[in-house]
């Protein structure tokens, strides 16, 4: 079930490369959202031109408790156009119009008892942290392979480190980890794992996800993809 509501901003943290972590009080969404689901979000203000006509699709990065109740959601966003710029400019006390949770989310049951490989490219990491938390709580094995243009693009890396899971990092400029693409890191990683006991979850740029899914197909590894796309309606 999806809800339409107005959510107050609790915090807005700025990261390098025009990335922001926006925390909102939205109990109905926080208590229902599944890993891989998203919300449609837009700034609430008096309508004035120019103004984005449509809400923006944003993956729910994480949830948190407040006064013993799971009521906070965070959205990890990158400023690309006017809609994301307006969301990035919000401060505590401002309000966001939300519809969510939306989308199918990941099928976590498929990875029960397997080694779960999370493969993220850039801001695609936004769809995978809630998944990582859930798998960790369920006692499942999981590994993260995370790639970006440079170290500054690896937003949220410290959050995954706090989960104390194996992490393999790649950067295109060689500033951290393997100097290369995240798919190159995946190829290396697969050499040391039993491929008949793996499941891949991935999110990132479309060419990256296509390469990851092709590699998974070659090795006969099940692969779930979280597709990030502009859309007029999250339904």
């Amino acid at each position: 079930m999806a809800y339409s509501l107005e959510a107050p901003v609790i915090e807005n943290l700025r990261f390098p490369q025009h990335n922001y972590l926006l925390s909102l009080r939205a109990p109905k969404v926080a208590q229902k959202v599944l890993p891989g689901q998203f919300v449609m979000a837009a700034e609430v203000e008096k309508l004035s031109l120019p103004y984005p006509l449509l809400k923006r699709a944003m993956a729910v990065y994480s949830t948190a408790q407040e006064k013993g109740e799971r009521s906070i959601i965070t959205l990890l966003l990158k400023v690309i156009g006017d809609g994301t710029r307006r969301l990035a400019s919000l401060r505590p006390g401002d309000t966001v119009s939300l519809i969510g949770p939306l989308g199918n989310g990941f099928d976590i049951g498929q990875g029960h008892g397997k080694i779960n490989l999370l493969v993220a490219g850039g801001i695609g990491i936004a769809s995978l942290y809630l998944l990582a938390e859930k798998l960790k709580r369920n006692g499942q094995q999981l590994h993260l392979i995370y790639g970006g243009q440079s170290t500054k693009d690896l937003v949220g890396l410290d959050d995954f480190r706090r989960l104390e899971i194996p992490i393999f990092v790649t950067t295109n400029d060689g500033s951290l980890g393997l100097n290369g693409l995240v798919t190159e890191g995946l190829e290396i990683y697969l050499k040391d794992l039993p491929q008949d006991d793996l499941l891949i979850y991935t999110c990132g740029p479309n060419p990256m996800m296509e390469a990851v899914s092709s590699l998974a197909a070659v090795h006969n590894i099940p692969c779930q993809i979280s597709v990030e796309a502009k859309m007029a309606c999250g339904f």
Side-chain angles (χ1 to χ4, degrees):
M1 179 178 180
Y3 301 94
S4 178
L5 51 90
E6 292 188 356
V9 175
I10 306 302
E11 188 177 42
N12 193 3
L13 300 178
R14 183 175 181 175
F15 294 97
Q17 307 297 78
H18 308 291
N19 293 301
Y20 293 79
L21 187 65
L22 188 63
S23 298
L24 308 171
R25 183 177 292 112
K28 289 182 178 180
V29 177
Q31 293 164 20
K32 294 292 185 180
V33 66
L34 301 174
Q37 287 190 303
F38 65 96
V39 296
M40 300 296 289
E43 174 192 16
V44 173
E45 66 167 24
K46 293 181 180 179
L47 296 180
S48 59
L49 296 175
Y51 188 84
L53 178 62
L54 304 172
K55 290 181 170 65
R56 300 302 190 259
M58 298 284 169
V60 176
Y61 179 70
S62 67
T63 64
Q65 290 191 355
E66 185 181 49
K67 298 179 180 179
E69 179 186 51
R70 190 157 296 276
S71 59
I72 306 297
I73 66 169
T74 64
L75 309 178
L76 183 59
L77 64 96
K78 187 176 186 69
V79 176
I80 296 174
D82 192 47
T84 48
R85 179 187 61 77
R86 286 173 179 265
L87 288 170
S89 70
L90 296 177
R91 297 292 178 263
D94 293 334
T95 307
V96 174
S97 176
L98 291 180
I99 300 176
L102 299 165
N104 296 317
F106 292 111
D107 180 1
I108 295 180
Q110 190 180 9
H112 183 74
K114 294 189 175 184
I115 300 173
N116 297 270
L117 289 183
L118 281 57
V119 184
I123 199 64
I125 198 73
S127 293
L128 297 178
Y129 184 66
L130 197 61
L131 171 66
E133 283 189 313
K134 182 73 171 180
L135 291 171
K136 180 76 173 182
R137 284 198 302 270
N138 289 351
Q140 302 300 310
Q141 292 189 65
L142 68 148
H143 302 242
L144 173 67
I145 304 173
Y146 188 11
Q149 293 289 333
S150 70
T151 304
K152 292 181 179 180
D153 293 291
L154 302 177
V155 185
L157 183 58
D158 287 342
D159 291 332
F160 283 86
R161 285 171 172 160
R162 282 189 283 271
L163 293 178
E164 298 181 338
I165 63 173
I167 299 173
F168 190 95
V169 170
T170 72
T171 50
N172 292 8
D173 65 359
S175 54
L176 186 66
L178 175 72
N179 184 356
L181 301 173
V182 68
T183 46
E184 296 176 70
L186 177 58
E187 289 185 272
I188 293 171
Y189 216 79
L190 289 176
K191 294 178 181 178
D192 298 323
L193 294 174
Q195 296 177 13
D196 59 348
D197 201 28
L198 299 179
L199 174 63
I200 293 174
Y201 303 89
T202 187
C203 188
N206 286 341
M208 183 218 95
M209 291 193 294
E210 184 177 357
V212 170
S213 62
S214 296
L215 191 58
V218 168
H219 293 279
N220 198 31
I221 301 170
C223 181
Q224 296 185 30
I225 296 171
S226 180
V227 179
E228 293 188 324
K230 293 180 181 179
M231 63 187 78
C233 174
F235 293 92

